[in-house]
Amino acid sequence: MSITPEDSAPRFQILSLDGGGLKGLFGVSFLAAWEESEGRSITEYFDLIAGTSTGGIIALALGVGYSAKEILQFYLNEAANIFPPSALAGIRHWVSTKYRADGLEEALAQYFGGKKLGESRIPLLVPAYYPKAGGLYIFKTPHHPRLRNDYRELVRDVARATSAAPTYLPAYKGESGVELVDGGVWANNPVMLAVSEAMGYLKVPQTQVCAVRIGTTTTAPSVRSISDEGGKLGLAKAVLDYMMRGQEQSASTMALHLLGSDRYHEVNITAAAGDFELDRLSEDLIGLGRNQWRYHSSNLADKEFLNHKPKEYRPCYET
C-alpha cells in the first residue's frame, strides 16, 4: 500500500548508501557500531533505504534481515573470492574486465539463496544501468501499487546487477535478455533518487523528508594527477572517478539545499590517493567507520534520527 500525506509519520527517514566496492566496509562498520550502541536494527530507523553497488548489496542484506555485523563479516569472508589477488589482473584490465564474475555470483548465491526482492522488510531502491537501451534501471520493492514486477526478482540477481562495476566486472545478463551494469555510473550517491521517490511516488510532504547519506570515502585529488590535455590516454584511468565524484557532490548538495542541515546528515571521510581501492580490502576501514559513529552519533541524536520509528511497511504484492 502506498503512503499518503494523511497517514504518513511526522518524519519519513531515508538511508542512502554509496557505491564503492570493498570500501563499503567503511559504511557497514558505521552501521554495525550504530546497531551495537542503540540495540536496534538499522531497518527500525528508516522508512526507505537506497543503495548503489556495494551500497545496494548492504541495503538488500538489511532488507532481508541480516544485521550490519553479519554483513561486515560477509565482506571479510568474501573479499578475496570476489576480487582474487592476481599479478595478471592489472594487465588484463587494459583489454578486458579486471575480474570474472564467478566469485561474486557464488558469494551472493550462498548469502541470499532464493530470497526475492519482495521479501524485504523495508522499501528499497537499488539502481543499475541499461547501456544498450541508454536507460536508467531502478529495482524497487512493491511499496506502491504501480510497482508490479521487480518484487519477483531474486535478491542475488539484483545485487549482481547493481554491482557490475564497469571495467572491473562483466555486465549482468538476466534471463530476460536485459544486460545491466553498476548503478554507480549515474547514481553512485543515490540520496536524491530516494528523496524523489519519497516526494513523488509516496507523496510524502517535503517538510517530513529526512535523509542520512553514508559514503565509502572520498579521495582527495592531486592537481598533478589531473591531465588538462583532454586526451584519451591522459584521462582513461581517471574519467570514471571524475564522473562519480561529480555526481556524488551534486546529489549531496541538492539534498542539503532541499532538506536543510536539520533534516540531512552525511557521513564520509576524505582519504589520500591510494589509501583505499574498491577491489582491495582494508581492515583500517572498520576502525574508521566505528570512529565515525562515535563522532556523528550525537549529531544524529540532536537531529532526531535516533528517535524515529517508521510506519509499518506492508508490500502491495506478496512473493
Side-chain angles (χ1 to χ4, degrees), residues 267-301:
V267 178
N268 204 12
I269 59 171
T270 300
D275 278 358
F276 308 112
E277 302 290 344
L278 70 83
D279 59 342
R280 189 183 77 232
L281 183 73
S282 173
E283 295 193 22
D284 288 341
L285 290 167
I286 299 176
L288 289 168
R290 297 184 71 88
N291 183 63
Q292 286 299 293
W293 164 255
R294 184 173 179 272
Y295 176 79
H296 285 272
S297 57
S298 294
N299 288 332
L300 287 166

Side-chain angles (χ1 to χ4, degrees), residues 83-90 92 99:
F83 296 124
S86 169
L88 298 177
R92 186 169 59 241
Y99 304 97

Side-chain angles (χ1 to χ4, degrees), residues 74-209:
F74 168 81
Y75 278 81
L76 296 178
N77 292 344
E78 301 296 339
N81 298 323
I82 296 169
F83 296 124
S86 169
L88 298 177
I91 299 172
R92 186 169 59 241
H93 202 187
W94 286 100
V95 295
S96 180
T97 58
K98 192 173 183 180
Y99 304 97
R100 297 181 178 87
D102 307 44
L104 176 60
E105 290 174 353
E106 289 171 6
L108 295 174
Q110 181 177 3
Y111 199 60
F112 291 121
K115 292 183 184 296
K116 294 184 179 179
L117 186 58
E119 296 178 51
S120 175
R121 61 179 63 179
I122 186 171
L124 300 176
L125 300 179
V126 182
Y129 187 68
Y130 190 6
K132 290 187 177 178
L136 311 183
Y137 203 102
I138 309 169
F139 292 98
K140 300 183 181 184
T141 49
H143 50 264
H144 189 280
R146 292 183 63 85
L147 304 175
R148 304 175 61 88
N149 297 297
D150 291 351
Y151 73 95
R152 301 185 182 96
E153 296 281 356
L154 291 172
V155 172
R156 65 178 186 245
D157 292 340
V158 178
R160 170 71 176 87
T162 191
S163 58
T167 80
Y168 284 88
L169 291 164
Y172 165 74
K173 297 179 181 178
E175 291 182 2
S176 65
V178 174
E179 191 170 310
L180 302 173
V181 299
D182 197 312
V185 302
W186 69 279
N188 205 56
N189 169 4
V191 66
M192 281 305 298
L193 184 65
V195 170
S196 298
E197 187 79 3
M199 294 173 59
Y201 255 106
L202 302 181
K203 307 300 181 187
V204 179
Q206 183 268 350
T207 53
Q208 294 182 10
V209 179

